[in-house]
């Protein structure tokens, strides 16, 4: 999305939490150590109105599944996020909450990266460094993901940085391809967070192809993906929301517009569709 030029209230990645420094329509920078009040975004039963998440069948969330799944986070770090989520606070805390709840689940492994400017950057779980493009050791445990999040909190945001969706997808593709070459057998749950429109790709057909390519690479190893998208930009940016919803539909995932999350918070366990035909 690059530099944000409009002057209206925005909603950060975790919706509206009722913590100090926020209201129903916008976040300001939260104080260090602020508590995130996270609850189920829509309550029960699952399957609420479009854009609010939690469409999982009962007993079939990513935290409940037992089969091997690689949970892949690809996060927008473009210039506009200086406004929508200062200091990466809510993006980090939302993922960390998932680790707190489900980090002990041995069937889950993780990949973490972000995109900004013209490139994507992946975290190398062995060297504890961010690498442009893809990392040699891109997959790790929940503890290693926590270390990646700590490093990400110190990544500077360039106020003029654009929003390269294609670069982010290429980084994910490289990790999935490496798994195939190594004979790794797991499905993939991708979580793609953004606050704006892509700057290195456009058009519905190309956005669908971006997702389809990831599915095709995974299928070469008899694996499946879901492509789940989270929008945390302004409520009137209908084109940006439509892009992300299109990609989620193409990737058999969920789309979440954080503007629609009322008093609750974004709960990663609720907003990821489990990949593959079975939840077992």
């Amino acid at each position: 999305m690059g530099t944000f030029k409009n002057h209206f209230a925005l909603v950060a990645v975790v919706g509206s939490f009722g913590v100090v420094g926020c209201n129903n329509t916008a976040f300001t920078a939260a104080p260090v150590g602020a508590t995130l009040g996270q609850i189920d975004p829509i309550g029960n039963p699952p399957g609420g109105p479009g854009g609010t998440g939690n469409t999982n069948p009962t007993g079939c969330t990513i935290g409940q599944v037992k089969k091997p799944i690689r949970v892949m986070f690809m996060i927008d770090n473009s210039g506009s996020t200086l406004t929508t989520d200062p200091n990466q606070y809510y993006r980090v805390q939302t993922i960390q909450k998932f680790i707190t709840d489900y980090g002990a689940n041995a069937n889950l492994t993780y990949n973490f990266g972000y995109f900004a400017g013209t490139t994507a950057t992946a975290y190398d779980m062995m060297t504890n460094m961010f690498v442009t493009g893809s990392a040699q050791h891109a997959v790790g445990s929940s503890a290693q993901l926590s270390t990646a999040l700590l490093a990400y909190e110190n990544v500077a945001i360039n106020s003029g940085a654009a929003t390269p969706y294609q670069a982010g997808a290429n980084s994910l593709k490289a990790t999935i391809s490496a798994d195939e070459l190594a004979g790794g057998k797991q499905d993939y749950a991708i979580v793609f967070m953004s606050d704006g429109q892509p700057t290195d790709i456009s058009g519905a057909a190309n956005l669908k192809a971006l997702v389809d390519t990831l599915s095709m690479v995974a299928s070469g190893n008899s694996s499946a993906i879901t492509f789940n998208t989270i929008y945390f930009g302004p409520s009137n940016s209908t084109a940006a929301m439509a892009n992300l919803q299109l990609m989620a539909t193409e990737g058999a995932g969920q789309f979440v517009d954080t503007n629609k999350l009322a008093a609750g918070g974004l709960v990663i366990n609720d907003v990821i569709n489990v990949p593959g035909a079975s939840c077992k």
Side-chain angles (χ1 to χ4, degrees), residues 5-272:
K5 296 181 180 179
N6 295 313
H7 299 285
F8 43 74
L10 304 181
V11 178
V13 65
V14 290
S16 190
F17 281 125
V19 297
V20 176
C22 67
N23 55 42
N24 288 333
T25 58
F27 280 113
T28 58
V32 175
T35 301
L36 295 182
Q38 295 196 352
I39 63 173
D40 189 300
I42 61 171
N44 293 305
T52 55
N54 194 12
T55 60
N56 291 292
T58 301
C60 191
T61 67
I62 196 74
Q64 294 168 315
V65 70
K66 302 301 181 184
K67 65 180 180 179
I69 295 179
R70 188 93 74 224
V71 184
M72 309 180 78
F73 293 99
M74 183 55 64
I75 313 299
D76 187 346
N77 208 54
S78 61
S80 55
T81 65
L82 283 168
T83 302
T84 55
D85 184 19
N87 305 315
Q88 297 104 324
Y89 183 80
Y90 292 102
R91 281 165 285 179
V92 169
Q93 292 301 313
T94 300
I95 299 171
Q96 188 59 57
K97 177 64 166 60
F98 179 79
I99 296 172
T100 299
D101 291 341
Y102 302 107
N105 292 19
N107 61 304
L108 301 179
T109 52
Y110 303 92
N111 167 250
F112 181 82
Y114 65 87
F115 54 94
T118 60
T119 62
T121 302
Y123 190 77
D124 191 299
M125 300 290 186
M126 295 297 291
T127 64
N128 296 325
M129 297 177 62
F130 282 108
V131 180
T132 299
S134 59
Q136 182 177 358
H137 308 286
V139 174
S141 65
S142 59
Q144 289 171 309
L145 177 60
S146 289
T147 301
L149 292 174
L150 289 173
Y152 176 60
E153 285 185 296
N154 293 317
V155 172
I157 301 174
N158 183 332
S159 62
T163 313
Y165 279 23
Q166 183 69 67
N170 289 345
S171 179
L172 295 169
K173 177 184 174 183
T175 299
I176 297 172
S177 296
D179 280 345
E180 182 178 0
L181 289 173
K185 294 290 185 181
Q186 65 280 308
D187 291 332
Y188 301 90
I190 297 169
V191 182
F192 193 91
M193 299 184 184
S194 181
D195 72 345
Q197 295 194 64
T199 51
D200 62 348
I201 188 173
S202 62
N206 288 329
L207 289 170
K208 287 183 178 181
L210 178 154
V211 177
D212 292 343
T213 297
L214 295 173
S215 296
M216 181 180 64
V217 173
S219 67
N221 202 31
S222 299
S223 298
I225 74 163
T226 58
F227 195 94
N228 308 272
T229 61
I230 297 168
Y231 173 73
F232 61 101
S235 61
N236 64 349
S237 187
T238 55
M241 286 184 272
N243 286 336
L244 289 170
Q245 188 159 23
L246 175 75
M247 294 165 72
T249 299
E250 189 71 11
Q254 294 194 54
F255 164 70
V256 178
D257 171 11
T258 60
N259 293 286
K260 293 186 176 181
L261 304 183
L266 182 66
V267 181
I268 294 295
N269 186 53
D270 288 338
V271 303
I272 299 177

